[in-house]
Amino acid sequence: MRSKRLGALSLAVAAVGLFYAAAPAIAGSTKAVLKEFSIAPSPAKVAAGKVSFSVANAGKIEHEFVVLRTNKQAGDLLKGKEADEAGNVGEIGSVLPGQTKKLALNLRAGHYALICNLPGHYSAGQYADLTVVKPG
């Protein structure tokens, strides 16, 4: 009986080891696709440190890309007719239709909001949440 329990325990330990070995590493980069009126980051969780954003405008009108460090959810930033940009850590001011632009930032672990704050865009839903986690 003892050998069966040890065998089952060994299998369980091996399965846990395989799970952790197969778990994907958290990326240090993300792609963000801008459209009317959404932002789709992929992945939406990245490792702290240097984070590279590849921002593509797949829409038909101009957009911008603003990264805000905030404890609020991306959809909870409305102040007047646009989003409050407190906590702005970087941005790309203009991304024309069909363009892809790069932005590299040094981000600490925490919550970030990705927004387009051109007139009417944020209130139409053009925002997304990004989680930055400690590497390791």
Side-chain angles (χ1 to χ4, degrees):
M1 182 75 164
R2 179 179 162 102
S3 65
K4 284 185 181 181
R5 276 190 252 151
L6 286 175
L9 180 62
S10 295
L11 285 175
V13 169
V16 168
L18 284 174
F19 171 79
Y20 281 107
I26 300 294
S29 64
T30 187
K31 294 179 182 177
V33 177
L34 310 175
K35 292 183 183 177
E36 293 81 37
F37 289 96
S38 66
I39 296 179
S42 179
K45 183 184 284 188
V46 295
K50 183 179 179 185
V51 176
S52 299
F53 294 91
S54 177
V55 181
N57 185 344
K60 296 182 181 189
I61 62 174
E62 177 184 15
H63 296 291
E64 70 174 358
F65 181 77
V66 183
V67 181
L68 309 170
R69 181 175 169 82
T70 179
N71 291 326
K72 294 181 180 180
Q73 293 298 301
D76 294 337
L77 303 173
L78 192 61
K79 184 177 183 180
K81 293 185 178 186
E82 57 186 27
D84 180 0
E85 289 194 26
N88 184 326
V89 295
E91 65 183 83
I92 300 171
S94 174
V95 186
L96 298 175
Q99 278 188 320
T100 297
K101 293 189 174 181
K102 307 277 186 194
L103 177 65
L105 299 171
N106 190 20
L107 301 181
R108 298 182 321 216
H111 177 265
Y112 292 80
L114 310 176
I115 68 168
C116 177
N117 216 13
L118 293 179
H121 292 213
Y122 176 82
S123 60
Q126 196 166 10
Y127 51 79
D129 294 290
L130 177 75
T131 302
V132 178
V133 297
K134 292 181 182 177

